[in-house]
Each structure stands twice: as structure tokens, then as C-alpha cells.
Amino acid sequence: MQEAMINKAKQLLADGIVDRVIGWKRGEFVYDITPAIFETAEELEKDFVYDDFTAANVSKYLVKESKKEGKILAFLKPCDTYSFNQLIKEHRVVRENVYIVGIPGGPKLDAEKIKEKGITGILSVKNENYTLKIETVYGEETMPFYEAVLDKCASCKSKKHMIYDELLGEEGDVLDSNRFDMVEKLENMTAQERYDFWREQLSKCIRCNACRNVCPACTCEKCVFDNPDSGIENKAPADSFEENMFHIIRAFHVAGRCTDCGECSRVCPQNIPLHLLNRKFIKDINTFYGEYQAGEDTTSRAPLNEYKQSDCEANIVHERGAE
Amino acid sequence: MNKNLKEQVLRSCGVNVLKCMRCGKCSGTCPSYDEMEYHPHQFVYMVERGDIETLMNSKSIYKCLTCFACVDRCPRNVEPAKVVEAVRLAAIRQQGNNHMNPNQIPEMLDEDMPQQAIVTAFRKYIK
Amino acid sequence: MQRIGVFVCHCGTNIAATVDVKAVAEALGHEPGVIVSQDYQYMCSESGQNLVKNAIKEHNLTGVVVCSCSPRMHENTFRKAAASAGLNPYLVEIANIREQCSWIHKDIASATEKAIILGKAAVAKVHLNAPLTAGESPVVKRALVIGGGIAGIQTALDIAEAGFDVDIVEKQPTIGGKMAQIDKTFPTLDCAACILTPKMVEASQNEHITIHSYSEVSDVKGFVGNFTVTIKKKARFVDETKCTGCGLCTEKCPMNKVPNEFNMGFDNRSAVYIPFAQAVPKVATIDPNYCMMLKTGKCGVCSKVCSVGAIDYKQEDKLIEQKYGAIVVATGFNPINLDKYDEFAYNQCPDVVTSLELERLMNAAGPNGGTLLRPSDKTHPHKIVFVQCVGSRCDDSKGKPYCSKICCMYTAKHAMLIREKYPDTEVYVFYIDVRTPGKNFDEFYRRAVEQYNVHYIKGMVGKVTPRSDGKIDVQASDLLANEQLHIDADMVVLAAAIEPDKTARPLATMLTTQMDTNDFFTEAHPKLRPVESATAGIFLSGACQGPKDIPETVAQASAAAAKAIGLLVKNSITCNPCVAHSDELMCNGCSSCEKVCPYGAITYIDKEFKMPDRTVAIRRVASVNPAVCQGCGACTVACPSGAMDLNGFSNSQIIAEVDAICK
Amino acid sequence: MQVNENKEFQPLIVAFCCNWCSYAGADLAGTNRLNYPDNIKIIRVPCSCRVNPMFILRAFQRGADGVILCGCHPGDCHYTSGNYFTRRRMTLLFSMLDFLGIERDRTRVEWVSAAEGAKFAATMNEFTEAVKKLGPNRRLEDLRCRKQ
Amino acid sequence: METFTYYPGCTLRTKAKTLDDYARASAKALGISLEEPSDWQCCGGAYTTAKDEIATKLSAVRTLNAARAADRPLITVCSACHNVIKQTNYDISHDEEFASKVNNYLKLDEPYCGEATVYHYLEMLRDVIGFDELAKKVVNPLTGKKIAAYYGCLLLRPSKALAMDDPENPSIIEDFIRAIGGTPVIYAQRNECCGGYIALEDRAQAQKRSSNVMRSAEDQGAEMVITACPLCMYNLKKNSDSSLPVYYFTEILAEALGAKEDDNE
């Protein structure tokens, strides 16, 4: 796939259809893949990477990039296209300035999960019949492929691209995922258990802002938490309240807009399952107001920006389930 | 007034008798009006007042044809036929209060009478 | 540095009996920024107000907190007082220590404590109050009236009388509406045409009134004082300016079997037609559904006979755009379709008619020249049954839940007119209740019973069965006699419920006005603002707001006109300054705020921003029109970045109050 | 912190009331001298839709034990639709607080019209009782703000 | 060939054999296969509207469950059976309490909650085959015949549950009559009761009702009346003072399709 992508990018650059390419580059380690801009065929040849560790969603970068002069080529995985569509809906990207090539998505790998098996010094990985062959500085190791898959890919919602100018590879389908299982499990706990669970998780938060910075829905010109005038400016979680506050407000701000791309949890250095907060909102919205998938289209109203006279009352929260 | 009986009838028919605006359309449309001592609108009103026993003791409860004309034409969606049905059930459910005895049936029959009529009559008259 | 004055009112003993006002004044005097804190018997009295005014001047105050009754009571009083002392009126805050403290608590200690907290919250808020100036927005001195029935005509005449230009948009070829179809009017029995047609002529001749007949409103933009409306003038294939209304074309048109809607289909008209003799404008219209020339290109008779060359088969719909300061909605009503109620055999028997049809059958200009004849065989009916409440007062699943209001009276009128003209005709009226609240109304109904011997029967018709001998079997209940009746009638007249015109709902969407579930326009306040919609600059006239008879319609029409005139006489309108505003630097341009704004007050502009790196970026940002915004604040919560804030109730002000209360 | 063992727990409750219905309803409760606890402190907002979830969290942070939001009945909003948006926002916010294990009964939305003074008082009595039962807010407080 | 589950009901086995025979013959001619469940029971004759009456509705639920199991719509012909089964199906899908009580009684493998589709034979003609298609298959059109459709009460009401046609302005049988070449006669009493089961106890009342209906039809110039109900048939024929012929709609359908003779062999 990487080869095909490089060729496609080179061709589009050569034909003058695009001026720049957003792709990925390798960092210090083999699993350390970050988005990068390429302007020439040489740069592409040299640094462009697309492999099983390439999970980063480049949609958010297009908020800035698409406002620059010229056209940019973006390779979008199915999940990324949802994010991109949502950004179009919110007028955050200039659609005309982006040439989208849809590429097949994951499952992508989680280096942390490989390391958890005690495998270090990773040099390369290869998926052979769902067995992961890992070449390390200490020799070859193997592990079942699916045990190394990113959580967000394990509960993939769709293999279908919502938007593209051109497609590389086969188009997939929207999937029936099990993504709400964990939310449901938590819902079925007692309030005390839920409280304990989240205290344990959120107390790990170091407010590195990685979740906010990676989130394709968090594209505010200025975040309320960085704004002294907002009344809730908050740079570090000085108290358990602030840990809660940050994540509740963040989830609320993206409620109805979050496409469930899972990047927040992927990048969290403390491994807090932040996506569960977003999924809780998605699940509630689906139950209360009808199925809604942000990023599926560019025109429908976000659930919090519309209403029905027949909507349920807020006390539904008090009436259902176990306390 | 028998409060329990009223509640039982209201529960059984599932009708909100308070919706009635007393227009009398049910009685205007009822095909059995002339055969009845108490008429559909009276059923609704008397149930509202709790005067159920009077209705139970009246032959009117066996005169409703269950044609649902009052149900469909009631402007207030009150469904008087359901009230009649509930009062009739309250009556025949009482011990020994069957309206008809199976032994009476043969003499009522003629050879063309479809059994549908008998089955229905059984439903209506006997518990 | 803030210089805040606190004024604690005793309200006689209303406050002072349960709240230690001195202690409150004392405690609040220690709050940061507070430089004067006083208490007084009646702060709202003239001397109380003077106390406030003098303190403002003397201490050069930057903010005022009055601890008194509800702001709903005296906020304006103290704002005016502040303004007269040279302090911006929006720098005044009220702490409600009467309704929400002294009146509901008994314990002096805890009530005093609570009053102090409420006062502290007000002080905290006033610290952040900004001086606000109410904006102004110019008013276009022209009104639009949508609908040309009696409501629209009356409104237009009244507005024109005040010297303002006013346009009437009417979808039919003529103005006049339902009243033009009515024979006589209750309770005086004068002829509808005799009192309506002079008004129609007056409207057409008034130099301030422009009538757009055969036209529809297709788009509305803008806001109070400054609406831009697109009107579609439908092609009538006749040049209005040339046509003299001579009617020759209508006589010569070979396509003369078109059901005449003005006479409820009881007779025919031609494809080119003038709805009725007194039509305004008296101009022919070609019905494209029937005209042979338009359908097949063959005919052209009307064009040949027209001496002034007014016929124009090539005419097309025309859009005109016009600016208005005020809009009056007068879209009226229609009788409901009766398909659902065919137990009354309306679809089966031509002699079962609606009341509006009866109006035409009895009208001197109607199909029978005023002689009441059965539609089926043109014979004189000797027994007529009237059925009331057909489709009115129903459960939602069965019809309209409301009382149509006019039926009792027009039925009494019909019954009386028939008995007057044809004493040999028996008239029965089946009623549930007879509702006659109106001047001379019950007297009128009693006359029908006592003088004209109309048989009023309490009960309802259950089934109507037309028979081949021409009679109609009417089966009904007589609740007072406890009997089921069968009447051999010659005619049955159904008082069909009335409903708002079908065009009302799409219009309401264009106007961003509210409607109830029955599609009647909702007034701004059911008692105190009955002719205004909740949307500023849009007024309601006639049956579009609820069932109404003619006198009520005319009264409301004039009231709506008065409200519209009240707006048009102003050169500009003062806007509520407590409106939303967007911080362009923070705005993402995401459109969330626009989606939740009930007034369409938010638009987006592309704006250039100088970036830190000296480049210029063009960003889409929200812009609030302060003349349209009503200040609800829905947008402030929809905005994820907090760019949107609300004057007078800003994020920081509310948070300051929360903090003060929770401290 | 000093706790007076003999004194019943007195919760602090913030009530956000829309100017047109609920605030007027509170005034009516006052006019009719209908008692409700002084634990309730009302903040006036133009419309229930002005209430940002942020304000509610802020109140809890600063030591409120309960927050109640009152607005016009659905369909009666002075601004047409504000309370419909409120309803969705608060449903989701309360559901999220519940998901995080915060006691459900600390938050509530009630529709109170300008004519419902009695309902306002009854609601406030009831809500105060419910919050009293829960005791002080410990799960969503900022320890630094705790009263000494 | 489309297959449906077919519920004849007990009267069609005895007094109303012709209604059944012609329904089957016509279905065959129309290329429809009717499959009868092996163990159907009587529908109960009349639907009891009382909410606290469960036992009398169970047999209808069994029939509906059989149709669900076969995964085919259920066709009924007799108006009474149709009424009972459709009302049961409506209530079980709209009244949770009723549904749970019924399912507690029946202990089916999978609770029945109104999943089956119920068609009256006429609805099948209208909605599955289509009257236009039916018209094409007519070989002996009843041209010029003035036919009065008698709906009675059970086919139309309660309209909320039956949802077959407009209860005051029905057209399904009239359209059917047009499809087979006849001329429908509209008369006001077409949706009024014939007297129904009252014939058993109070023949005089049944006579009054039926005569009313027949007179109204006669009055509007009908040459024959058609019905879908054996009890209506009985009352209109036996208890009215009219001599107007009454037929089952299936009989004239079979005649129009030329299926009448074949079947009677």
C-alpha cells in the first residue's frame, strides 16, 4: 500500500493537481509514526511511511493546511473521513483545497501492547496469517496479531469512506461494532463503583492536553481552558474536581460532534479510556434522540443543535437503571 | 355508588369516560338504540357517576351488537362500546348470572344459522 | 477602581420585618468596591430614588445594587433613576430580598443571612457589568399585509389612513376573501357584499395601498423595521394595466364548463374569468389548467375579442422584491375537508352541503339567484337539518380539538333566514351546546327559537342515509327526550370546522413566527399582546390566529394596524442591548450558534485577520444582528469556544454570582 | 472542618431560573407567602438555555450540594425553543454526571410557569429534602474551596 | 407463485363452504397458493374489548404465531375471523401488559408481539395483486351489473385496529367490483350492522337491521349485494324483507375469473 500511495502522490504532484501532500514520517522508533508534509517526489521517496503502526488521523491538520494556498493531498482511512466530514460541516476546512485519496484502514497496531508482552527493541513487524512476527535487536519474537491491535481498531465502526475524491484499494462496509459494551458495563455498576472507576482513571491525568490536541473535533481557535476570561481557565489539574471538570466539559463540547475516532485514548500517555466518555454521549444520543453518527454527512444537524417537542425529559436519567 | 365496581369497569374497558362531552353522537348512531333501556351515552355517563349496578341489571347490556359504530364515530374517542362490554362482563362474571343456558340454544337455531353466531353469543352471554 | 453603592429597601415592613436591613447594609458595605451602603424605608418612592441619584452624583458611583423587591417589579424604575443621575442604566443590579427572601422565610437570622448572600451576588455581578447602549435600527416606512380578506383589507385601510404605504398580497385573483362569499352577516343580518365591497373599492383607490392579487409571498428576510420580502406575481396571462374588466372574454371563452370555486362548484365559469362582479382588481385571469390556448396552443378567442389587447399568453411568473418595516399576517381560514365524516353522507348526496355552500345557495348573486333550491333536483326543500360541530371539539385523533366559534351563530342566522323567506320549511338544528358569547348574540339565537320557531334539538346526528325518493333519512339522538329520531329531510347542512389556510405553515417558517399544533399563529401573549407575534415586527390579523367572526376579525385587524403604525411612525427602533455578541478572535465559524438561534439573528462573514506571523488569514466568523437578537443566550452554550457571550448575563457575570453564593 | 453534630446538615442549593417563567413563579411563591427553605439561592438568567454546564460544575466546585434548573414548560418558552435545547443539554450532562458516579439527585430540571408559585415552592422543598438525604457533596467538590 | 398462510375459520368449513371454495378456486386462478396451518382453532367469533379478558384471545394468538413461524402473511376471508385476528394483533403490539399476560399463558418458544402481517382476502387483492392486475385476469366481466358492496361493521371497525379502509368512505369492495367489470352502487347503509349474532336471541332486531341495509341498497338501484361475512349473509338473506340476491364476494370473483365451474366439478 505504501508504494501505491507514494506513486499516487508523486503522480498527483507531477500532474499539478496537488501542491503538497500530508502523510506520515517515521520518528526515532519504528512504531513512532507522525504526520508530516511532503512537497516533492524526493521527500516522498525518502520519508513517506504507511504501515501497521500508522494510526494517526491527519484530518485535524487540514484545518490549517487547507487554508493555505494551493491544494493538498490527504490520505484518509475510513475513520478519518468521518472526522473530515464533520470538519466540513463545521466550516473548519476548505474542501476545495483538499484532494482526498481514500485508503483502507486498520486494524493498526499498538506498540504498547507489544511491549507489554516483554518484547522490546522492536525493529520491524510483519503480519503473517494473523501471527505478528517481530524482529527485535534481540532476535525474532512472535505474538498473536489481534493481541497487538489498538483498542480503537478492535471496536472499529466502519470500513467505509464517507468522502473521497479517489479510492485506493477496495471499499468496505459500515460495521456492527461492539463499541458500547464497556459503556454498558459501567452503566450497570453502582454509582459508587462507577465513581471509584473514574477516580482511579482520571486521577492519572497529568493534563498534558494530548487528548485535546489530537482530537479532530477540538479545533477551537482558543480553548476555554486556555482562556482566562472563560471563568474555567485551567492549566493543570490541581484538584480532583479539575480532573473531572476538564474531561466532562471536553466531552460535552464534542458531544454530537465526536465521530468516535478513538484518537484521544490512543494518544493518552496515562492510558485513560477517555473514549468511554465520548461513547457514553454517543450512546445516550442514539437512545434518546435516535441513531446519529457524526461525520456521516456534511449537512445534518448535530443532536445538541436541534430538538423535538417529544424529546424525553432530563429526569429520565433519574428514573432508569440502578443507582 | 359502588366504587370498587366502577374501578373494575374502568380498568376493564380502558376508557377515559371523562373525555365525553355529552354530544350524544353514540346514541345517534347506535343501531340498537330502540331495543335499549339505557343508551350508549348513558352507559358512559352512568359509569362516570358510578351507577354500575343499574346498568348490570338492565337487559341493555345484551343489546349491543359490538358494531363499533359508536367507537369509530365518537368525536372525543371515548369508545362507548368498550364501556358496554366491560359492564356486561362484570355482570356475567357474577356467579350464576349467565344470560343464556346452552340448553336453550337448539330451539333458537335454524338450519342456515352459521355457528359463528352461536360462538359469538356464547362469548357475549356466558362465562 | 469600582465605586459601588448599595441601597437596601425596607419596603415598609415587607422586608424589614423578617430581614435585618441594617445588618444587610452593614455587611454589604464591607464588600470590595462598595463605598456607600444605605437603607431606606421605601427605595422606590421619589425620595428613595433621590437617595440613589444623589449618591451616584456625590460618590461618582460606577455601579448600583438595590436590595429590594423583584427586578420584574422595579428594575426599570431604578435604571431610569440611574440614567437621570448620569449613570448608565445597565450598571444597576437588583437583589431580590422580598419575594425570594423576606416573604418566604420566618427566621430573622437566616433570612438576614440569605439577604446578605443575595446582595453579595448582586455586588459581584455589578462589578462586571458593562455600560450598555441600546442600539438603533432604522424603520422602513412601508407595511406588508399578507392576505386580502376582510382582515387584510381592514388592516391595510387603517395603515394607509395613517399615511403609510401598504401592500396587500392576495393569492386569489381578487381580494375579498371568505366574506365576499357570505350572504348575510349576524347578528344584524345586513348583506355582506353591501358592507364589504365599498371597503374593497376603497382599498383599490387608496393612493397608499398597492394590491398584489394572484400573488404569493415566496421569501422573507430581515428583521423588524427592515424586512425584505420576495413576492411572486403569478402569471394571469392578462395585462392588469390594460384590462378594463369588461368581461367580454369571459363571455366568449368556449371553455365554459369549469367548476366555479366562488360559487362552491354549484355552477360553472369560463377558463378566462373574473371571480365575481365586484372583484377587485376587476381584471380577468386565465386559468392555465383549463385554457385551450395555453394547453394545446389552439383557440385564442379571448385575445381576438379583447379590444385593448390585454391578453398575453406568454406572460410568466414575476418575482418582485420589496422592503417593509412591518408585516401583518391575515391568511384566514377554510372549512375542513369532510371525507373523514361520511356518516353524514356529504360525499354521497349533493343535498348534504356545508354551511359555506349554503351561503352561496342562498346568495342573490349565487347559482340560483337567491332562491334556495336543492342542488340535486332544484326543488324547494321543506325540511332542513343543521348539524353542528362537524369536526370541531374533537379528540385530536378525530378532528380539530377547538371550538370553531362561528358556527352556532351562522347556523342561527341560516335557520332564521330560511324561516323568514320560506315559512313552510321546517328547520332542525342538532347541537351539543349553543355558544353565543357576544353582543346581541344570545338574543339573536333566542329569536331564532322563539320568533322563528327553529327546532333546536340537543343531540347529535349519527347517520345520514340518502334515499332514492329524494329524502334524506337523518338518524340522530334527542338527548332531552331520550329518544333516537329519524327525520326525513330534504337537505342537510353541516357546520364544518374551520382550519387555518394551508399556506400559513410555510409562511410561518419564512417569518420565523410560532404556530400552535393546529397551525394557528401564536400571539406574543394570549392576553396582553394578542395581535403581535413573538417575532418583533410581525402582527396577526383575523382568523389566522384563531377562529373569529367578522366583528372580532375587524377589531383585531384594526388593532394589528395600530401596532404596525406604532412601529412605522418611528424613524428607528431601540434594540434590547442585552444581546449576544461574538468574539471574532475566538469564533470558529462552526455554525452551532446559528443552528440554535430562534430568530435567525446570526450570520457569518468572512473576515481578514492579521496573524502573528504577519500573514493575513481569512476566517469565517459569526456576527450577531443586535436588532434581531432577543437575548435568550442559546447560542452562548452551543458555542464550544466560548466566543459567544451575552450582554447583561455574561459568562463571567453568572460565574461571579455562583461564586458569591457558594463562598 | 468543624461539624456541629447537633445541627442538621444544611445543603447549599443553587437554582437557575429563567426570567420569564420560573423566576416569575418564584416571585409568585413569595407573593403568596409560600415557604421554602433558605438553602435555595436563585440566580436569574434570561432563559434556561443560557445555563452553561460550566456554571453547574462551577457551583459544585465552590461547594454547592445541589443545582436545580428551572425554565418555562416545553412549548411555552419566551424564546420559542430555548428550553428544548436546555432539555437535551441537561439530559446529556446529567447522564454524564451519573456515569461518573455523581449522585443523580444533586441535579434536577423542573419546568415551572409564572403561574405555578405553589409548584415552585413544592419543588424547592422536595429538592432540598432530597439533597439533604444525600449529605454534603463530596464527589464533585474542589477541596481547596471547602469551607473551613 | 406467492404463498400465504390461509385461515378459513370454522364457519367456512360448514355453513359458508362456498365462501371458502371460491376463495381457493380464485386464488388458484390468480396464481396464489394458500397454505392452511394444520392445527388452527376457532378465532373466538367475537373480540372482547375488555383489557382483563385474556383466555378468549389466546387461540387468535396461536394462529398469528403460526403465521409468524411460516414467515408468511396471514390471509383471512370471513369478516368476523378477520376482525378478531386483526384486533388481537393490534392489541398485542400496542398493549404491553396484554402482550406479557398472553405470552405468560402461552409459553411460546419466542414471545409473540404482533410480528405477523394479517391481510383480508380483499386486501390481498388490492395490495398484493393489485386491482389493475386483477382486472387483466378477468375473463367473464360482470359488465353492467349494479352491485352493492356490503361492508357491515367487522371489516372496517374499529378502524384504528383494522386499518383496512376509510371507515366512513370505504372503497375497497367498490374498486373490486370495478375490477371485475361491475358497477358499484354506493349506499349509506353499507357500513351499518346487519344485526349480527343478535339473530339468535332477538330475531326481530336482526330483521330490522338487515331490512334497513337491504332497503338502502335496493333504493340506490342495486341488483345484487355482496359480502364477506357468513353471518351477514345469513341475516341479509334470511332476516330481511328484501329479495335482492346476496353473494359472497369470492363467488362473483370466481365467476369473473372463470374459476367457478372448474372448482365445482
Side-chain angles (χ1 to χ4, degrees), chain C residues 472-487:
Chain C
I472 305 168
D473 173 60
V474 178
Q475 179 186 315
S477 59
D478 179 337
L479 293 178
L480 297 180
N482 205 8
E483 232 182 296
Q484 194 178 61
L485 303 176
H486 285 268
I487 297 175

Side-chain angles (χ1 to χ4, degrees), chain B residues 62-102:
Chain B
Y62 304 111
K63 295 298 178 186
C64 170
L65 300 168
T66 332
C67 74
F68 297 117
C70 54
V71 170
D72 256 34
R73 288 174 189 157
C74 173
R76 304 285 317 150
N77 208 9
V78 175
E79 310 182 311
K82 294 190 175 178
V83 177
V84 179
E85 180 95 349
V87 175
R88 169 166 53 199
L89 271 175
I92 61 171
R93 276 173 183 170
Q94 287 177 342
Q95 195 88 40
N97 211 13
N98 282 344
H99 178 58
M100 197 179 268
N101 177 339

Side-chain angles (χ1 to χ4, degrees), chain E residues 30-89:
Chain E
L30 289 166
I32 297 270
S33 151
L34 299 176
E35 212 150 276
E36 199 175 318
S38 54
D39 54 349
W40 58 264
Q41 298 168 304
C42 170
C43 67
Y47 187 76
T48 313
T49 53
K51 286 169 121 38
D52 52 357
E53 190 67 31
I54 303 297
T56 51
K57 298 169 187 168
L58 297 179
S59 70
V61 179
R62 284 196 195 97
T63 302
L64 286 161
N65 189 50
R68 179 181 67 173
D71 200 18
R72 291 184 196 124
L74 180 68
I75 304 277
T76 60
V77 194
C78 166
S79 305
C81 305
H82 181 69
N83 186 282
V84 170
I85 290 174
K86 239 192 193 168
Q87 285 211 64
T88 309
N89 208 30

Side-chain angles (χ1 to χ4, degrees), chain C residues 4-24:
Chain C
I4 293 164
V6 175
F7 303 89
V8 186
C9 179
H10 298 208
C11 197
T13 56
N14 277 308
I15 294 173
T18 4
V19 170
D20 181 348
V21 283
K22 300 260 180 234
V24 174

Side-chain angles (χ1 to χ4, degrees), chain C residues 14 70-72 75 96 99-100 103-106 110 114 117-118 514 595-596 598-599 630-634 636-638 645-646 649-651 654-655 657-659 661-663, chain D residues 12 14 16 19-20 23-24 26-27 30-31 33-38 40-47 49-53 55 58-59 62 64 78-81 85 89 147:
Chain C
N14 277 308
S70 170
R72 296 173 57 85
E75 187 171 57
N96 184 343
E99 283 84 348
Q100 296 178 5
W103 277 355
I104 46 166
H105 304 313
K106 293 198 177 84
S110 63
K114 175 166 167 181
I117 292 175
L118 294 178
Q514 287 168 270
K595 298 267 167 29
V596 300
Y599 305 102
Q630 302 288 311
C632 67
T636 62
V637 183
D645 209 345
L646 187 65
F649 293 95
S650 69
N651 287 335
I654 297 176
I655 285 175
E657 283 183 273
V658 169
D659 289 356
I661 286 173
C662 297
K663 222 185 296 180
Chain D
L12 172 62
V14 177
F16 290 98
N19 182 48
W20 305 97
Y23 194 87
D27 279 353
T31 310
R33 312 296 198 275
L34 303 170
N35 295 91
Y36 56 86
D38 55 27
I40 303 283
K41 309 286 189 297
I42 295 172
I43 292 178
R44 184 165 68 126
V45 286
C47 175
C49 71
R50 176 64 189 91
V51 177
N52 197 311
F55 304 157
R58 176 76 162 213
R62 298 296 161 121
H78 179 77
Y79 304 100
T80 320
S81 52
F85 292 117
R89 290 166 183 167
K147 272 173 241 164

Side-chain angles (χ1 to χ4, degrees), chain C residues 27-205:
Chain C
L28 294 180
H30 298 301
E31 282 296 290
V34 175
I35 58 162
V36 49
S37 186
Q38 297 173 312
D39 63 281
Y40 187 71
Q41 201 94 37
Y42 289 104
M43 207 58 87
C44 61
S45 68
E46 202 182 332
S47 45
Q49 289 189 50
N50 283 335
L51 188 79
V52 177
K53 287 184 205 170
N54 291 337
I56 292 173
K57 287 181 197 149
E58 190 182 327
H59 301 283
N60 196 15
L61 297 182
T62 58
V64 165
V65 169
V66 184
C67 301
S68 62
C69 55
S70 170
R72 296 173 57 85
M73 187 76 92
H74 276 309
E75 187 171 57
N76 259 336
T77 311
F78 294 113
R79 275 184 178 170
K80 276 187 192 149
S84 75
L87 182 72
N88 185 291
Y90 293 92
L91 297 173
V92 175
E93 282 295 326
I94 309 289
N96 184 343
I97 61 165
R98 190 178 76 173
E99 283 84 348
Q100 296 178 5
C101 189
S102 71
W103 277 355
I104 46 166
H105 304 313
K106 293 198 177 84
D107 180 57
I108 295 181
S110 63
T112 304
E113 195 188 322
K114 175 166 167 181
I116 292 169
I117 292 175
L118 294 178
K120 282 181 177 174
V123 170
K125 185 179 179 192
V126 89
H127 264 279
L128 298 162
N129 277 24
L132 299 177
T133 315
E136 292 207 330
S137 161
V139 176
V140 177
K141 306 256 173 198
R142 191 184 188 94
L144 170 66
V145 175
I146 305 170
I150 180 62
I153 294 171
Q154 185 64 48
T155 303
L157 284 173
D158 288 348
I159 294 175
E161 180 76 6
F164 295 104
D165 288 339
V166 50
D167 296 356
I168 300 176
V169 171
E170 166 58 52
K171 67 176 191 290
Q172 301 297 336
T174 172
I175 59 170
K178 291 283 176 295
M179 187 171 169
Q181 290 179 281
I182 293 173
D183 184 28
K184 299 274 191 325
T185 57
F186 61 76
T188 48
L189 295 184
D190 38 5
C191 132
C194 310
I195 53 179
L196 174 69
T197 47
K199 280 196 182 285
M200 291 164 63
V201 173
E202 212 184 317
S204 72
Q205 289 174 349

